[in-house]
């Protein structure tokens, strides 16, 4: 009898009587209704966890801000065609080790989550799984209206995105590729006497740009 | 008992010899408990979430064999190789065989309490494999030659000056530098070199989803991802109980995990691994190591719901004042005290007694494990199976006799009080553990029973 | 109302004044209080040490002494919780009829007014079994509305000043045989609890469990502190 068979037999024999799955909490969280509330909640949580956020009217603004904040970024890779002028765009990197010297990666994420300041990004937007982690600094771009209130709605949104990507074919949910992640702020640690240090092994900083074409530039950066 | 024979009480006694340090350890962890409270307070439906998570895990345990089969099928169809390990030894050998097949003797590892439980590092070291733990806290204790003392904050027992010394000795940082920012940056550079040069990465698994065959790894540092995405081979180790039924359930657990652990709304990275990178091998090792046996124990199976957040550690007044090493087991604290006796009844017979049964742990547990009730029940099992010290057994038998017989009780009480009043030295001495740091209560002239007889009847 | 009075073994032997205060308090509210003379102990010390199987004699004695009463009251949260959770046998109804003193006053007698005076600064020690087990007060772990039955009663006492604490409901470290089996941690926990009260200016530390107070008193005396412990029954029964 293989270990697999032994284990499964023991588990089957010992598992208790059936207990039903509960329903999940609904979409309601305190005080999150319209888009404006969600994006300001998102920004305030993101800033509290060490990230920074800019609400902008378009990619020109993003380019300007990045020039100001990362003037000596060195090697820049972007997944946004609108920012192709800032660095490498449209290339493929067979060996992730060659990304070791990337100073700044600018990627497009799908949506943000207001309750925790996280952004969801799938492999197809990462230009290789290693890039969002190996770059010294990371910037993510989302549309301001693509912010969900909490993680329950986030997984509903993920399911919709996957169904869309597969053309409605969601058998086993395997249509979006093999890797995705929520990124909430820069990498960090508090392992040394609970002192928070931003910049552990992943990027040392994270900027999230929230694009809202309805915005005018007056009064903003 | 540890290998050098010391139990929790003896180790805790040593820990308490340095009172300022105990205060520092206690206050640091209490601060983490307070951060948890603040985060939980920001989620109005917090208690509903706990209840939901608890019931999801109840469902998992009751259908575990079906979920395991479903998970395996999905993962395999996604190109992942699944291994089954009945025990720690088999787990260690499976990992070694993967390394041997690839002729690799250097690897990186991110946090996995399961690998601590299986003593993987020691095993691999003996086989000539160099393992670098990449979580900063774990790297610190690895360099110090110690086990972690906390499952989320591995070196919480170490002061920054001590970490500075360790880094000075092993990484060449300047002597006397204890600045967390500087030390973290030094670790970043040191470990970046490892990520870039090692071809095998081992990670733990926070959650595995039966519906999709994917697994989720949560870190703040990004070390699991740096290892996995640069490695040719990614091995993920998980206890069989780490499953959840459907992807949407991740919403519940990811809302609870970091808030319970450190007071953050979520860890920096919650990485969902479904398929290997093209050209990469991905392995999952499913480990039993006593879990299937534990599943059969009606009184104790709920401890398998644990999501390893350590909220119970941070709230436990005993853990905070004795430190993780006093528990002499991979997973310490309250949850460790109800899991370990399953692994070795005799060796860990002391742990369920390292508690006042205050109940704080059960009420911070995000999956509502009845920890303090299980501690009580383990005490009965341990005594029934003959692991109580002889002196204690004798004392309890005497107590039973006295307390079951009113006349004996009255006499014993009167006698005891007489001695305490007239010959206080009989109890106020070095043999009386109470007397070490506390005065004995003052003996009254008469007991309540005697007063009642005189005044009321 | 006829009430059976259960006095914990260590209160009987070392703190008879707590039993007396409890009895007088109940009589003040019109109860006929009966103390079965052959009672001894609830069995908790054995049970918590893993020797639950030795408590049959104790349990039988308890049932024999108290089954006849419609209400049983005791000035001890941990003893009452133990009886509620662990007294089985002979189809006894005692677990449903036993009350800790504070909850009896608030929930059964529904006391709204006390003729008592205690013009001192008092810290409340929330004993764990009473608080988390009997729900005498809300626990800080839960995200739930605050309440406190001991505090409600104490606020009826004239002149009393209730102090805040840094850690409202941390365990004192007594824990039954834990107090000697894990002496170092037990004492450290007790010292920290005492320090919290002292830092906030307590003149008295009160609570519903004399075991916790006995442990803290031992530490206070060793420190030669002027701060004293007083069971809540004594404060609620104090004279005007």
């Amino acid at each position: 009898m293989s270990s697999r068979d032994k284990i499964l037999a023991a588990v089957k024999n010992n598992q208790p009587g059936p207990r039903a799955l509960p329903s999940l909490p609904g979409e309601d969280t305190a005080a999150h209704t319209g888009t404006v509330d969600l994006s300001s909640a998102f920004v305030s949580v993101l800033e509290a966890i060490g990230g920074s956020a800019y609400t902008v009217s378009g990619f020109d603004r993003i380019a300007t801000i990045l020039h100001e904040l990362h003037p000596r970024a060195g090697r820049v890779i972007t997944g946004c065609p609108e920012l192709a002028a800032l660095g490498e765009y449209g290339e493929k990197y067979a060996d992730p080790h060659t990304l070791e010297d990337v100073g700044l990666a600018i990627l497009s994420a799908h949506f943000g989550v207001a309750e925790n300041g996280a952004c969801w990004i799938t492999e197809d937007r990462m230009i290789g799984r290693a890039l969002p982690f190996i770059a010294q600094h990371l910037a993510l771009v989302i549309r301001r209206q693509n912010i969900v209130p909490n993680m329950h709605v986030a997984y509903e949104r993920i399911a919709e995105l996957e169904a869309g990507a597969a053309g409605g074919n969601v058998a086993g949910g395997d249509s979006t590729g093999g890797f995705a992640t929520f990124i909430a702020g820069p990498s960090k640690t508090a392992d040394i006497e609970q002192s928070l240090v931003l910049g552990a092994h992943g990027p040392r900083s994270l900027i999230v740009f929230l694009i809202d074409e309805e915005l005018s530039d007056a009064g903003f950066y | 008992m540890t290998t050098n024979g010391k139990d929790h009480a003896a180790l805790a006694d040593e820990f308490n010899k340095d009172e300022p340090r105990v205060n520092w350890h206690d206050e640091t962890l209490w601060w983490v408990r307070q951060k948890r409270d603040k985060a939980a307070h920001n989620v109005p439906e917090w208690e509903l979430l706990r209840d939901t998570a608890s019931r999801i895990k109840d469902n998992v345990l009751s259908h575990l064999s079906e979920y395991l089969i479903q998970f395996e099928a999905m993962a395999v169809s996604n190109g992942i190789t699944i291994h089954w390990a009945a025990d720690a030894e088999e787990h260690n050998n499976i990992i070694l065989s993967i390394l041997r097949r690839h002729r690799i003797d250097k690897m990186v590892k991110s946090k996995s309490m399961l690998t601590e439980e299986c003593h993987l590092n020691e095993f691999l070291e003996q086989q000539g494999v160099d393992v670098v733990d990449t979580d900063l806290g774990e790297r610190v204790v690895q360099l110090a030659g110690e086990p972690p003392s906390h499952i989320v904050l591995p070196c919480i027992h170490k002061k920054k000056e001590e970490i500075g010394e360790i880094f000075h000795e092993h990484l060449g940082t300047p002597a006397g530098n204890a600045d967390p920012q500087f030390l973290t940056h030094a670790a970043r550079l040191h470990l970046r070199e490892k990520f870039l040069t090692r071809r095998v990465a081992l990670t733990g698994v926070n959650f595995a989803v039966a519906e999709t065959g994917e697994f989720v790894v949560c870190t703040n540092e990004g070390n699991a991802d740096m290892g996995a995405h640069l490695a040719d081979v990614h091995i993920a180790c998980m206890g069989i109980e780490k499953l959840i039924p459907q992807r949407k359930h991740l919403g519940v657990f990811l809302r609870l995990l970091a808030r319970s652990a450190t007071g953050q709304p979520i860890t920096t990275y919650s990485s969902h691994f479904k398929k290997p990178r093209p050209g990469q091998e991905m392995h999952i090792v499913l480990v039993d190591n006593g879990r299937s046996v534990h599943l059969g124990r009606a009184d104790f199976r709920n401890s398998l719901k644990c999501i390893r957040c350590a909220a119970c550690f941070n709230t436990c007044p005993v853990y905070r004042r004795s430190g993780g090493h006093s528990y002499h087991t991979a997973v310490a604290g309250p949850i460790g005290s109800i899991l370990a006796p399953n692994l070795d009844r005799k060796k860990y017979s002391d742990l369920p007694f390292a508690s006042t049964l205050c109940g704080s742990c059960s009420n911070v547990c995000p999956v509502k494990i009845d920890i303090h009730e299980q501690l009580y029940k383990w005490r009965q099992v341990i005594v029934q199976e003959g692991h109580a010290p002889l002196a204690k057994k004798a004392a309890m038998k005497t107590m039973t006799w006295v307390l079951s017989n009113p006349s004996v009780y009255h006499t014993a009480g009167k006698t005891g009080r007489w001695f305490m009043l007239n010959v206080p030295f009989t109890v106020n001495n070095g043999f009386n553990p109470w007397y070490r740091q506390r005065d004995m209560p003052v003996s009254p002239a008469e007991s309540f029973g005697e007063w009642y007889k005189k005044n009321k009847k | 109302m006829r009430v059976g009075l259960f006095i914990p073994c260590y209160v009987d032997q070392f703190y008879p004044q707590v039993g007396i205060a409890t009895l007088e308090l109940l009589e003040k509210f019109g109860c006929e209080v009966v103390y079965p003379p052959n009672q001894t102990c609830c069995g908790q010390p054995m049970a918590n040490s893993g020797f639950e199987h030795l408590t049959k004699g104790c349990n039988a004695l308890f049932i024999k002494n108290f089954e006849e009463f419609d209400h049983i009251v005791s000035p001890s949260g941990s003893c009452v919780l133990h009886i509620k959770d662990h007294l089985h046998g002979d189809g006894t109804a005692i677990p449903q009829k036993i009350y800790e003193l504070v909850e009896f006053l608030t929930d059964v007698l529904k006391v709204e007014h006390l003729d008592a005076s205690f013009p001192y600064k008092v810290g409340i020690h929330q004993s764990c079994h009473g608080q988390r087990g009997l729900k005498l007060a809300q626990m800080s772990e839960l995200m739930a509305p605050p309440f406190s039955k001991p505090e409600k009663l104490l606020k009826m006492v004239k002149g009393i000043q209730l102090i805040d604490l840094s850690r409202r409901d941390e365990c004192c470290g007594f824990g039954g045989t834990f107090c000697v089996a894990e002496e170092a941690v037990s004492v450290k926990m007790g010292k920290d609890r005492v320090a919290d009260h002292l830092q906030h200016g307590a003149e008295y530390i009160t609570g519903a469990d004399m075991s916790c107070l006995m442990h803290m008193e031992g530490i206070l005396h060793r420190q030669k502190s002027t701060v004293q412990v007083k069971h809540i029954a004594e404060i609620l029964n104090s004279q005007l």
Side-chain angles (χ1 to χ4, degrees), chain B residues 93-140:
Chain B
N93 281 315
I94 288 167
I95 291 165
L96 182 66
S97 71
I98 297 171
L99 291 163
R100 292 280 190 249
R101 196 162 36 81
H102 287 270
R103 291 189 225 284
I104 282 175
D105 60 2
K106 296 187 200 337
M107 58 182 271
V108 289
K109 180 160 100 48
S110 65
K111 205 184 281 161
S112 161
M113 291 322 299
L114 174 63
T115 61
E116 285 292 329
E117 184 188 313
C118 298
H119 302 289
L120 178 70
N121 283 21
E122 292 105 274
F123 170 81
L124 288 178
E125 235 171 274
Q126 281 160 18
Q127 302 294 327
V129 177
D130 180 54
V131 182
V132 169
D133 281 321
T134 59
D135 173 271
L136 177 60
E138 294 219 313
R139 187 59 176 149
V140 167

Side-chain angles (χ1 to χ4, degrees), chain B residues 111-233:
Chain B
K111 205 184 281 161
S112 161
M113 291 322 299
L114 174 63
T115 61
E116 285 292 329
E117 184 188 313
C118 298
H119 302 289
L120 178 70
N121 283 21
E122 292 105 274
F123 170 81
L124 288 178
E125 235 171 274
Q126 281 160 18
Q127 302 294 327
V129 177
D130 180 54
V131 182
V132 169
D133 281 321
T134 59
D135 173 271
L136 177 60
E138 294 219 313
R139 187 59 176 149
V140 167
V141 294
Q142 182 175 48
L143 291 173
E146 292 173 21
S149 70
H150 186 286
I151 61 180
V152 169
L153 313 164
C155 66
I156 196 72
H157 61 289
K158 287 238 172 286
K159 296 206 163 189
K160 54 184 190 285
E161 291 78 13
E162 290 157 1
I163 297 169
E165 273 166 40
I166 292 166
F167 277 18
H168 170 63
E169 188 188 330
H170 295 275
L171 306 186
T173 50
N177 188 313
D179 174 48
Q181 189 105 11
F182 183 88
L183 294 174
T184 302
H185 192 75
R188 177 190 175 88
L189 296 174
H190 159 71
L191 289 165
R192 199 171 174 90
E193 187 265 328
K194 310 287 179 216
F195 292 129
L196 287 166
T197 54
R198 294 183 178 218
R199 297 169 44 215
V200 173
L202 190 149
T203 70
V205 166
N206 289 92
F207 307 101
V209 183
E211 180 192 32
T212 56
E214 71 192 302
F215 60 94
V216 179
V217 184
C218 303
T219 70
N220 279 320
E221 299 181 21
N223 57 313
D225 291 282
M226 281 295 280
H229 305 314
L230 292 168
D232 296 335
V233 181

Side-chain angles (χ1 to χ4, degrees), chain B residues 11 21 52 56 92 132 148 162 168 171 189 202 218 235 237 241 253 282 318 322 332 334 402 414 431-432:
Chain B
L11 294 166
R21 196 179 180 107
T52 306
I56 293 170
N92 295 346
V132 169
E162 290 157 1
H168 170 63
L171 306 186
L189 296 174
L202 190 149
C218 303
I235 306 171
C237 301
E241 83 283 19
F253 291 98
M282 198 179 269
V318 175
S322 56
V402 171
K414 208 164 177 162
F431 291 106
N432 177 5

Side-chain angles (χ1 to χ4, degrees), chain A residues 26-137:
Chain A
E27 298 178 52
D28 313 311
T29 56
H32 290 317
T33 46
T35 317
V36 173
D37 283 343
L38 287 178
S39 74
S40 62
F42 174 86
V43 167
S44 103
V45 176
L46 178 62
E47 286 173 353
I49 60 179
S52 37
Y54 295 90
T55 306
V56 295
S57 56
F59 282 92
D60 289 347
R61 299 294 322 147
I62 294 179
T64 311
I65 293 168
L66 284 175
H67 274 129
E68 275 168 41
L69 294 176
H70 292 291
R72 280 173 295 281
R75 188 175 172 202
V76 177
I77 298 181
T78 180
C80 307
E82 302 87 342
L83 300 172
L86 294 182
E88 296 162 45
Y89 167 76
E91 299 190 29
K92 297 222 186 305
Y93 307 92
D95 179 4
H97 295 81
T98 60
L99 300 172
E100 186 284 299
D101 59 347
V102 173
L104 171 66
I106 312 158
L107 303 173
S108 183
H110 292 274
F111 62 85
V113 185
E115 72 164 325
N116 53 31
C119 292
W120 173 254
I121 180 168
T122 49
E123 184 170 25
D124 52 302
R125 295 184 174 203
M126 289 182 196
I127 318 175
R129 298 180 182 188
L131 185 59
F133 302 95
I134 202 170
Q136 295 291 340
H137 300 278

